[in-house]
Amino acid sequence: MINQLHGPWPTMVTPFDAHNHIDRSGYRELINWYIDHKAEGLYANCATSEMDLLTIKERLVLVEDSVRASDNRVPVAATGNLGVTVEEQLDSCLRVAGAGADIVMLVVPAGYEKDVDLERYFMTFVEHVETPLGLYEWPIAGMRHLSLQLVKKLAATGRFIAYKETSCDIDKIRTLLEITKDTELSLLQANMPYLLEFVKAGGRGTMSIASAWIPDLVAAVIESGRIGDQRAVDLQRTLCAMDLAQRTVHPAGTKYLLGKRGVPIASATRRKPHDLTSEQIYALDCAAEYWFGESGDLRILS
């Protein structure tokens, strides 16, 4: 089925307990909450999950728990190619696939200046990993965005079905939609300010940090934009404001806001600084009171 992936795909947070271990009970609750709030897929083991600060065993726990808790209700994607050498990265991909991921995501690696070398790198995984693959532009120093020509070549293989694109360039996004529309590669771009424009241009889904705590609002923007609902602009404006607020406190603040929405997880993180400041908590409390009803539902959608 061509371009079948759609809707919000939360880049999932990893909840930790008081001992800095993965809170697996809270994680399962989070997964159920995502699905109940319009998520059409889950992205476990990504930057928002703090994957670079997890052990290999912990990464696989996230994948296994996501697959088990989602219970085939939605597909699960997870980053695979982590490690120092290509051999280590390939082994990691095979482990992620073995843990049950529906899509093994490949981070765009730093250090490949020429498309021909980067294409050869990706084709190594095509040759050795049977699970459908995805592309992940992890927004870190040294990461490059994929060229239009390379995306077209990779899409033509039929092996890549998801693309978390982070250029934040609406003109490039429109072109990517055009060159992938007759392929299996679904463009799941991460930018929220352009989400409505993306939908109007034919886009259907997003892997984004906003989807990690307001997937229902993201879904509403996508659906209203798709059908031409007059509320689309107001929903998009609210999404932009909430997205900007989240970026200043992510990922600890994202976990805190999920708690305000009724998800039983702590805001603990392995990133530095580890804790929210008293000022940030005060501001988030005020914003949450404005954004959410008593049960954690979004006021704008009520």
Side-chain angles (χ1 to χ4, degrees):
M1 219 176 144
I2 291 177
N3 283 322
Q4 61 181 316
L5 307 183
H6 62 281
W9 285 61
T11 55
M12 296 172 61
V13 296
T14 301
F16 297 106
D17 62 22
H19 302 288
N20 206 24
H21 299 144
I22 295 175
D23 174 8
R24 298 181 69 175
S25 175
Y27 192 64
R28 290 189 291 270
E29 293 275 359
L30 175 65
I31 290 166
N32 287 320
W33 185 89
Y34 279 143
I35 296 173
D36 289 342
H37 287 76
K38 308 294 186 181
E40 296 291 347
L42 303 171
Y43 190 176
N45 191 39
C46 57
T48 293
S49 311
E50 303 174 61
M51 65 181 182
D52 53 318
L53 302 177
L54 302 176
T55 66
I56 293 176
K57 183 178 180 180
E58 287 174 326
R59 294 170 190 158
L60 293 175
V61 163
L62 295 184
V63 180
E64 291 167 354
D65 282 4
S66 295
V67 171
R68 188 176 297 111
S70 62
D71 194 25
N72 293 314
R73 289 177 290 172
V74 298
V76 174
T79 305
N81 63 328
L82 300 176
V84 177
T85 66
V86 173
E87 289 74 20
E88 289 176 350
Q89 295 166 10
L90 179 57
D91 178 68
S92 176
C93 284
L94 294 172
R95 291 190 185 197
V96 167
D102 298 290
I103 307 170
V104 176
M105 301 293 289
L106 303 179
V107 171
V108 178
Y112 289 82
E113 299 299 327
K114 297 180 179 179
D115 274 5
V116 64
D117 295 327
L118 196 50
E119 180 183 3
R120 188 178 300 114
Y121 171 84
F122 285 127
M123 291 307 295
T124 299
F125 298 90
V126 169
E127 293 164 3
H128 292 92
V129 181
E130 295 182 0
T131 302
L133 300 171
L135 301 165
Y136 177 18
E137 292 181 345
W138 185 7
I140 59 170
M143 187 276 298
R144 61 175 287 193
H145 297 290
L146 299 177
S147 71
L148 297 173
Q149 294 77 13
L150 182 54
V151 172
K152 189 173 183 177
K153 285 184 177 182
L154 295 175
T157 68
R159 289 296 318 283
F160 294 89
I161 68 171
Y163 178 15
K164 185 181 189 302
E165 195 270 350
T166 64
S167 71
C168 302
D169 180 337
I170 189 59
D171 291 329
K172 182 177 182 180
I173 290 168
R174 289 193 182 101
T175 304
L176 284 167
L177 284 170
E178 183 63 28
I179 66 176
T180 60
K181 68 178 181 181
D182 294 322
T183 75
E184 300 291 342
L185 183 61
S186 296
L187 184 62
L188 300 170
Q189 67 91 26
N191 180 267
M192 289 299 95
Y194 290 133
L195 181 60
L196 184 55
E197 292 301 313
F198 169 69
V199 172
K200 290 179 178 178
R204 301 183 61 206
T206 174
M207 285 178 167
S208 54
I209 64 171
S211 298
W213 69 294
I214 45 175
D216 40 357
L217 178 55
V218 173
V221 171
I222 292 173
E223 179 60 17
S224 62
R226 187 184 67 82
I227 66 176
D229 189 322
Q230 61 182 4
R231 289 193 68 202
V233 173
D234 285 341
L235 292 170
Q236 173 68 28
R237 287 169 177 166
T238 300
L239 175 60
C240 285
M242 296 177 79
D243 174 57
L244 284 173
Q246 177 199 16
R247 293 186 198 191
T248 65
V249 292
H250 185 66
T254 301
K255 298 177 188 182
Y256 186 81
L257 288 164
L258 281 165
K260 289 291 184 179
R261 299 207 66 187
V263 184
I265 62 173
S267 62
T269 175
R270 290 185 184 174
R271 296 242 179 262
K272 295 181 179 180
H274 300 292
D275 301 316
L276 297 168
T277 67
S278 58
E279 177 191 30
Q280 288 172 326
I281 291 173
Y282 182 85
L284 290 174
D285 286 343
C286 290
E289 186 175 354
Y290 178 75
W291 289 330
F292 311 139
E294 290 185 6
S295 64
D297 293 335
L298 288 172
R299 294 187 187 278
I300 192 171
L301 298 182
S302 62

